[in-house]
Amino acid sequence: MKKSESSVVIPVIIPTDSMLKTYNCYLIKTKEDLTLVDAAIDDDQAFLVFLDVLKKNELKVSDITQIVLTHNHSDHTGFVKRIREKTVVDVYAHPTAFLRLTRDETFLTKRIDFFNQLYNESACGERGEIEVKRMREALIQNEHLRVNHPILPLVEGDYISGFKVIEVPGHSIDHIALYNEKTEELIAGDLILEHAPSNALIEMGLEGELLQTLYLYEKSLKRCAELELSIIYPGHGIIITEDANALFNKRINSINRKSKRIKESIIKEEQTAANLAKSMYKDRYDTLFVLVMSEVIGHLERLVLNNEIKKEYKHSVSVYSEKTSKK
């Protein structure tokens, strides 16, 4: 991979009625390559928008030489199969994404068992059982979302189409961003969005452990806040051309404020993650269960990691309480 190439970024902005606002892909055009960064959702209308952008820029699917996936989520991988049916392309991702992208059955089954235990320990009750059932059904129903090998690795410090790979775990454990040091452009995936905070989704590690995703996400935000930035290309919503660095600091401050609020709730009364989620988010506990539980568990575990609250197991349930100092 070449370290320095003259490149042009061509945005592909696909509208949606969902709270994501848009699905964004980016074409990086150099003299040697045409790189697609992320691939939206597997949807006919979305793919027509993509083809129209190619046509307006006098490009074809067959011109694409490689695809880079910033992370494994299916709203960033949708066109891979369609493009591979039309032309031969290399597909790149972080190695941590491989088992998720290829929908490895052993790994995904272990992951379902992990969430079953996590939701039980968090006292989620029936709502947790419903989510685990959905995950078991999705194991079969979402087989079409598989990204087949070959998938090539991209890791910290690699270069592709003039952009440097930066590992930014948090929203997903395998998340990478691409940074052009010369032009100060950052292709950020879901690391940061202009219209809303990007969730640091709770996740299982390769050894079956609970990953400290919010802690990792905060570190990734702090790292990118130090970059020289002129423009951020996010995975959803508008392209960020003003106060790019300030947005990272805004998201960091938001994490600190929410953690403070949660810590205050813990000081007032011993809490399980589910009880805290219900009191904070009301009806959204049911309607946005996965996002809400990711948010609450992430903050609780961050506070434990920072030694601000304590975690104990009582009757197989995780209970969080005030950290009392020894006299």
Side-chain angles (χ1 to χ4, degrees):
M1 300 177 191
K2 297 180 181 179
K3 183 172 181 179
S4 60
E5 297 180 58
S6 177
S7 59
V8 175
V9 177
I10 303 171
V12 181
I13 311 299
I14 301 166
T16 174
D17 292 332
S18 78
M19 61 182 179
L20 295 173
K21 295 190 178 291
T22 65
Y23 299 107
N24 300 347
C25 312
Y26 300 96
L27 294 158
I28 306 175
K29 185 178 180 182
T30 70
K31 291 181 179 179
E32 293 82 9
D33 295 305
L34 183 63
T35 302
L36 174 64
V37 182
D38 285 335
I41 57 170
D42 185 18
D43 175 83
D44 290 342
Q45 188 59 42
F47 195 62
L48 287 175
V49 174
F50 174 65
L51 293 177
D52 186 55
V53 173
L54 286 174
K55 184 178 180 180
K56 288 178 178 177
N57 286 275
E58 299 181 347
L59 298 167
K60 306 181 297 296
V61 171
S62 58
D63 293 326
I64 299 171
T65 53
Q66 53 200 8
I67 301 172
V68 174
L69 303 176
T70 61
H71 60 296
N72 74 85
H73 295 167
S74 60
D75 58 336
H76 291 257
T77 66
F79 300 160
V80 173
K81 184 177 179 181
R82 294 171 185 254
I83 292 171
R84 277 180 157 175
E85 287 172 349
K86 297 176 181 293
T87 189
V88 177
V89 293
D90 291 327
V91 176
Y92 291 88
H94 192 274
T96 312
F98 289 4
L99 291 175
R100 293 170 171 85
L101 289 171
T102 59
R103 298 193 61 78
D104 181 90
E105 186 174 351
T106 300
F107 173 80
L108 292 182
T109 299
K110 183 178 180 181
R111 183 175 179 270
I112 293 169
D113 292 339
F114 162 83
F115 276 98
N116 184 46
Q117 180 177 340
L118 180 65
Y119 292 147
N120 283 334
E121 291 179 352
S122 300
C124 295
E126 183 181 1
R127 187 60 185 84
E129 294 172 6
I130 291 170
E131 177 57 26
V132 170
K133 181 182 178 182
R134 184 203 64 78
M135 293 176 73
R136 296 194 194 284
E137 293 171 349
L139 188 61
I140 299 170
Q141 295 172 353
N142 291 345
E143 181 64 22
H144 66 285
L145 299 176
R146 176 195 301 271
V147 176
N148 291 321
H149 281 295
I151 307 172
L152 303 174
L154 275 181
V155 296
E156 178 77 30
D158 285 344
Y159 281 82
I160 190 161
S161 298
F163 282 73
K164 182 180 180 179
V165 175
I166 302 175
E167 294 178 359
V168 286
H171 174 71
S172 69
I173 190 58
D174 49 57
H175 207 305
I176 58 174
L178 302 181
Y179 178 56
N180 190 317
E181 297 159 297
K182 182 179 179 181
T183 61
E184 299 179 352
E185 296 170 292
L186 182 71
I187 302 180
D190 286 356
L191 170 67
I192 195 160
L193 310 177
E194 189 276 338
H195 63 277
S198 183
N199 291 82
L201 299 173
I202 51 175
E203 190 52 87
M204 179 190 80
L206 294 178
E207 303 301 320
E209 75 278 18
L210 174 63
L211 295 171
Q212 298 288 343
T213 49
L214 182 60
Y215 177 80
L216 293 171
Y217 181 55
E218 186 179 15
K219 287 182 66 176
S220 296
L221 291 175
K222 288 179 178 178
R223 180 184 184 187
C224 290
E226 298 299 320
L227 297 175
E228 295 291 334
L229 295 172
S230 61
I231 187 167
I232 300 174
Y233 299 105
H236 307 280
I238 65 170
I239 294 169
I240 302 158
T241 56
E242 295 181 5
D243 298 323
N245 293 87
L247 183 58
F248 282 106
N249 290 317
K250 179 180 179 181
R251 296 289 178 249
I252 294 165
N253 291 336
S254 177
I255 290 172
N256 289 324
R257 284 196 304 272
K258 184 156 289 186
S259 272
K260 182 179 179 182
R261 178 184 169 195
I262 288 175
K263 182 180 178 181
E264 289 171 351
S265 297
I266 295 298
I267 290 173
K268 292 176 183 176
E269 184 180 4
E270 183 178 85
Q271 297 270 11
T272 65
N275 285 341
L276 184 57
K278 290 172 187 176
S279 66
M280 287 181 64
Y281 290 96
K282 311 301 181 187
D283 292 345
R284 286 179 290 171
Y285 172 77
D286 286 314
T287 58
L288 298 173
F289 176 77
V290 172
L291 297 180
V292 165
M293 288 308 299
S294 281
E295 179 86 356
V296 171
I297 292 174
H299 278 279
L300 289 170
E301 291 296 321
R302 174 184 178 272
L303 287 166
V304 171
L305 192 64
N306 290 339
N307 205 32
E308 296 184 59
I309 63 172
K310 66 179 180 179
K311 176 181 179 181
E312 301 172 284
Y313 291 95
K314 297 183 179 181
H315 307 293
S316 301
V317 172
S318 301
V319 177
Y320 299 87
S321 59
E322 182 179 4
K323 185 82 174 182
T324 55
S325 58
K326 294 182 180 180
K327 294 183 179 179

